[in-house]
Amino acid sequence: MEFEFDEDQRMLQRLVRETVAKSRALPEEQLWSTYLELGWLEAPPVELAIILEELGYAADPTPFLATATWFAPLAGRLPNGSGTAVFDGVGEFVLDADRADEIALLTADGVVVREGAEVRAERVAVFDPTIHVARVEQSELVAGVPELALMGLAISTVGSCRRILDLVVAHVKQRQQFGVAIGSFQAVKHKAADMYVAIERARALALYSALTIAEDAPERARAAAMAKAAAGECQRLCFQSGFQLFGAMGYTWENELQIHLKRAKAGDLLLGTAAVHRKALLV
Amino acid sequence: MRLAADPEIEEFRAEFAAFLDANLPTAEEAVPRAKSSADVPPWAREWQRKLFDAGWLVPGNPPEYGGRNASLPQLLAHAEELSRRRIYHSFNPQGVGIIAASILSFGTEEQKQRWAAPILRADITAALGMSEPGAGSDLAGLRTRAALEGDHFVVNGQKVWTSGAHDADVLLTFVRTDPTAPKHKGISVLLIPTDTEGVVRRPFGSIAHPDDFDFNEVFFTDVRVPKENLIGPLNEGWKVANGSLGHERTLLWLSYAERLEDLIRDAACDEEWYATLLMDFQALKLLGYRQLGADRNPAEVSVLKLFGSEAVQNATLRALEAHGTESLLHPASTAAHFHMNMEVFSSSWFERYARSFGGTIAGGTSEIQRNIIAERILGLPR
Ligand SMILES: Cc1cc2nc3c(=O)[nH]c(=O)nc-3n(C[C@H](O)[C@H](O)[C@H](O)COP(=O)(O)OP(=O)(O)OC[C@H]3O[C@@H](n4cnc5c(N)ncnc54)[C@H](O)[C@@H]3O)c2cc1C
């Protein structure tokens, strides 16, 4: 096997990074149309992972994740506009269901696609104000989460964790106490190093999951469970150490750290926490 | 990125597997077992030589040094095949993996032929003399002194923890040749035959047993070492040290992948912690594959070393706890009999757990690896 990005994938990664950095301040609709123009929704799994990691890094406000990794694998096509899917068997905490143009529903009779406006979906208030989650009222739902959705949340969460670590590293290099940068204290360094290792582990497993989906490998279900579990474990450490190392600054609304902490935690809580997916590995 | 096996690698793998099937010593042949990391019984020497001659010992080396100029991914396939069968290519792992490798990187042509080739052919065995009583994590603080007098260095001082030294023929010894220079700049590296007058080796027991001899104290008193035994330029031993440590950390993470694979088989269960073991093994292998990329930061090996050694330690602790009071039993066997395996890897859970600390301490402790990651990857101030 080969576990390095090829030249095209590296180029894509550069392009995504540049695009995301440039368009940070753009309104949501413009971001969305940029993504569409660049054809990102059509990206195959590994390329999609590359895109989603950077969108996670940027705490992307659009319904890209739900459209590409919830709707598309269930419906077997891209939606007109944005999309999402209900595949948890109950219709709770459905990403972007309150604003999706099309919603795919996994029912006892198979997949049914409906116009978003026709589906009763009520946005629920959550601690992370930047994500949309909604309760969908529908009967005869069954559960069957696609691997792409697990991988998508996993790699987005890895992106959030990378952002947390970058913010922490910048902060501890610049913040002085006792006459030195706090980043020179070993207790600080070791927390940062552990975050780095956890991110590397989770990132490797998320990319591996994308690769098994791309090649329709027999281990794709296990790989997706590993990816989601590792991302959950990674955000647990990055949330805890990232918040702690910012001191009181991290406790404020103004500091952008909060956005990424919340995104990372939401990434674990949606579609089953690390503990849930660890159990799946044991059967 | 590609999941499918590369046909070139699979061909290589199949050829090696066929070689192993045809040449592996039988259980009757493979006695006695090795007692230290430089104790290579006659059958094991023969085995290593066979691998050397066929180019299967260190496949990345050229044929004259026991290889076949194999690519890095092929090397991983080689390691995987050995690990899957619980067998070793050498019972003097530091000799082959660190000392011969360092000589091939830094030695002259003559030194390669005189020392590296015999170590690789198991004609002689080697041990690594870096640490001292006053120089553990702070390796550059080493004080064993070597003064150039005519065409000899005269060595005085002491090493400790020198694994297998009592069974080794030669020591790759890090010495101070310029006591006035800053500490990283006055170090040189000498190959010192252990039968040289003035070399005294004293093996001592490990945590597992008072007679489990691998650790040594090595004392040097007016030991005369020919000038031509200097490996690399005078006073540039720190470069060699970093090269050796790089080789060591690579050897080590591969061995942690091996230990994790052992644990997956030996501790199989449906308890919650076992999922971590499965994930850690998969992730370590993926990160190892990725490290093969040409543009990797060398400090990334520290990620593999730290992550791998701690994963082994965590999983071994969980296995120990999972077996409850039964884990107190020692000696005990926790795996089927594998005649080409080191006995310590199938010993009691308690011993296996205790030995996992070798991973987090030797080759630069976990704390030192964290320092390296924080400073050389994340760029935090020293
Ligand atoms: C099984 C085994 C085999 C070995 N084989 C060999 C061999 O063949 N040849 C050889 O030369 N050596 C060998 N060693 C020695 C090994 O390299 C040293 O043990 C290691 O470098 C640590 O040194 P130390 O034991 O003196 O611990 P110390 O350096 O005294 O460290 C003790 C504790 O302090 C911590 N510490 C020290 N400095 C720092 C710092 N800057 N920041 C944070 N924490 C710090 C350490 O992490 C550790 O937890 C072996 C060791 C073991 C366990």
Side-chain angles (χ1 to χ4, degrees):
Chain A
M1 85 177 279
E2 214 173 276
F3 205 61
E4 276 282 316
F5 290 142
D6 63 29
E7 205 30 64
D8 289 347
Q9 290 166 336
R10 261 195 281 262
M11 254 170 54
L12 173 67
Q13 188 182 44
R14 273 197 299 275
L15 173 78
V16 179
R17 281 188 182 165
E18 282 164 19
T19 310
V20 166
K22 263 203 312 244
S23 47
R24 191 168 295 175
L26 293 182
E28 213 179 294
E29 302 72 49
Q30 253 171 287
L31 284 174
W32 180 251
S33 53
T34 308
Y35 303 162
L36 289 189
E37 271 163 39
L38 289 165
W40 286 358
L41 276 176
E42 281 119 71
V46 174
E47 286 69 20
L48 192 57
I50 292 172
I51 295 163
L52 285 170
E53 182 180 352
E54 300 311 319
L55 294 186
Y57 187 88
D60 176 48
T62 76
F64 186 91
L65 176 69
T67 305
T69 73
W70 290 36
F71 182 89
L74 208 66
R77 63 167 173 85
L78 287 171
N80 297 312
S82 66
T84 189
V86 183
F87 40 52
D88 67 344
V90 285
E92 296 279 6
F93 299 103
V94 182
L95 202 54
D96 294 320
D98 58 316
R99 56 170 174 169
D101 296 313
E102 289 194 79
I103 300 181
L105 303 149
L106 188 61
T107 72
D109 300 329
V111 178
V112 179
V113 178
R114 312 250 311 266
E115 293 283 313
E118 291 171 16
V119 178
R120 278 192 57 153
E122 193 184 329
R123 188 172 181 190
V124 286
V126 292
F127 195 60
D128 175 356
T130 69
I131 62 164
H132 288 242
V133 285
R135 184 176 296 119
V136 172
E137 266 178 48
Q138 186 74 35
S139 53
E140 301 201 25
L141 292 172
V142 295
V145 180
E147 283 115 10
L148 198 69
L150 295 178
M151 184 285 286
L153 262 176
I155 194 73
S156 304
T157 304
V158 168
S160 302
C161 290
R162 260 187 46 220
R163 182 63 168 274
I164 293 169
L165 179 58
D166 281 358
L167 290 170
V168 164
V169 165
H171 176 70
V172 303
K173 277 183 187 168
Q174 160 268 320
R175 167 77 175 158
Q176 304 241 334
Q177 283 295 280
F178 304 97
V180 293
I182 56 173
S184 63
F185 300 134
Q186 209 168 52
V188 171
K189 280 184 186 170
H190 285 193
K191 279 199 162 71
D194 284 338
M195 289 165 75
Y196 184 78
V197 173
I199 291 170
E200 287 290 279
R201 173 182 186 261
R203 189 168 181 270
L205 289 172
L207 292 174
Y208 176 63
S209 166
L211 193 54
T212 60
I213 297 167
E215 302 196 8
D216 194 17
E219 62 269 36
R220 52 184 282 170
R222 284 176 72 75
M226 282 194 185
K228 185 68 171 69
E233 289 161 8
C234 174
Q235 68 71 32
R236 202 168 194 238
L237 184 79
C238 290
F239 191 109
Q240 170 138 22
S241 297
F243 198 160
Q244 185 68 20
L245 291 179
F246 254 83
M249 286 265 287
Y251 205 95
T252 64
W253 187 264
E254 265 90 89
N255 196 297
E256 74 162 312
L257 183 75
Q258 61 124 337
I259 297 166
H260 306 289
L261 293 176
K262 290 171 181 170
R263 272 296 171 98
K265 188 60 79 188
D268 181 43
L269 296 171
L270 290 169
L271 302 186
T273 60
V276 171
H277 292 283
R278 291 162 60 83
K279 275 209 193 87
L281 289 173
L282 297 172
V283 293
Chain B
M1 280 208 170
R2 180 172 38 76
L3 203 58
D6 184 334
E8 212 172 284
I9 310 247
E10 287 322 287
E11 211 173 285
F12 174 95
R13 189 193 293 277
E15 198 185 332
F16 184 45
F19 174 88
L20 291 174
D21 289 344
N23 292 284
L24 216 53
T26 64
E28 293 73 46
E29 285 163 349
V31 275
R33 289 216 190 201
K35 289 203 275 303
S36 83
S37 60
D39 170 39
V40 188
W43 68 268
R45 287 186 195 247
E46 230 172 90
W47 164 241
Q48 186 173 325
R49 211 161 290 148
K50 235 185 218 176
L51 288 163
F52 180 98
D53 291 337
W56 287 121
L57 184 70
V58 186
N61 287 353
E64 62 272 31
Y65 297 112
R68 45 182 64 212
N69 295 314
S71 65
L72 285 170
Q74 287 175 329
L75 292 191
L76 280 192
H78 177 260
E80 279 171 2
E81 288 308 302
L82 290 169
S83 166
R84 220 154 50 79
R85 294 175 174 76
R86 295 177 104 132
I87 59 183
Y88 303 105
H89 60 315
S90 170
F91 287 80
N92 179 214
Q94 77 276 22
V96 169
I98 305 171
I99 294 147
S102 299
I103 298 170
L104 291 180
S105 303
F106 294 97
T108 62
E109 204 43 52
E110 200 199 324
Q111 288 171 333
K112 293 181 195 175
Q113 283 168 25
R114 164 116 190 259
W115 301 106
I119 293 171
L120 293 167
R121 295 189 73 246
D123 296 335
I124 62 173
T125 61
L128 182 64
M130 286 185 151
S131 309
E132 298 182 1
S137 297
D138 183 16
L139 176 61
L142 64 88
R143 287 212 299 256
T144 294
R145 179 82 177 89
L148 190 56
E149 291 178 12
D151 50 9
H152 280 77
F153 287 98
V154 178
V155 181
N156 281 287
Q158 187 200 334
K159 294 289 170 186
V160 70
W161 315 119
T162 329
S163 298
H166 62 303
D167 287 319
D169 299 299
V170 61
L171 307 175
L172 190 75
T173 316
F174 289 73
V175 293
R176 186 155 303 282
T177 37
D178 184 353
T180 61
K183 68 181 185 178
H184 293 89
K185 298 205 166 130
I187 297 171
S188 302
V189 185
L190 297 176
L191 271 170
I192 306 183
T194 51
D195 60 3
T196 314
E197 206 183 315
V199 177
V200 173
R201 294 163 287 170
R202 199 187 69 79
F204 56 98
S206 76
I207 187 169
H209 199 276
D211 299 331
D212 171 40
F213 288 157
D214 204 27
F215 280 151
N216 278 257
E217 291 178 300
V218 184
F219 302 91
F220 303 89
T221 314
D222 294 329
V223 175
R224 291 173 64 79
V225 181
K227 217 168 86 178
E228 62 263 24
N229 287 17
L230 174 72
I231 303 292
L234 188 68
N235 295 326
E236 288 185 26
W238 191 246
K239 257 190 232 154
V240 184
N242 281 319
S244 301
L245 288 172
H247 289 306
E248 180 169 25
R249 284 168 199 161
T250 304
L251 181 79
L252 288 174
W253 87 254
L254 281 170
S255 77
Y256 305 141
E258 224 173 284
R259 293 293 78 71
L260 290 174
E261 197 172 10
D262 287 349
L263 285 160
I264 285 174
R265 290 177 290 220
D266 301 344
C269 66
D270 59 4
E271 287 175 39
E272 193 266 337
W273 61 270
Y274 189 73
T276 305
L277 171 57
L278 296 172
M279 289 160 71
D280 285 346
F281 178 59
Q282 184 67 52
L284 183 64
K285 283 212 302 192
L286 294 169
L287 292 173
Y289 275 113
R290 203 197 46 178
Q291 188 64 21
L292 302 178
D295 51 354
R296 308 302 307 176
N297 177 346
E300 297 269 358
V301 173
S302 291
V303 174
L304 296 172
K305 202 267 170 183
L306 172 65
F307 171 49
S309 62
E310 300 208 328
V312 171
Q313 193 163 87
N314 291 336
T316 317
L317 175 60
R318 293 311 199 112
L320 172 88
E321 291 170 350
H323 288 82
T325 43
E326 193 195 311
S327 287
L328 284 165
L329 293 176
H330 180 83
S333 182
T334 48
H337 178 74
F338 292 91
H339 70 275
M340 289 284 288
N341 201 335
M342 300 275 268
E343 245 161 345
V344 295
F345 298 132
S346 55
S347 58
S348 67
W349 283 120
F350 211 146
E351 176 170 347
R352 288 174 74 162
Y353 175 56
R355 286 193 187 274
S356 75
F357 285 79
T360 51
I361 294 171
T365 66
S366 292
E367 289 72 27
I368 295 298
Q369 305 308 322
R370 286 188 172 89
N371 292 348
I372 292 174
I373 293 166
E375 289 163 12
R376 295 192 216 157
I377 299 178
L378 300 177
L380 297 187
R382 269 169 204 264

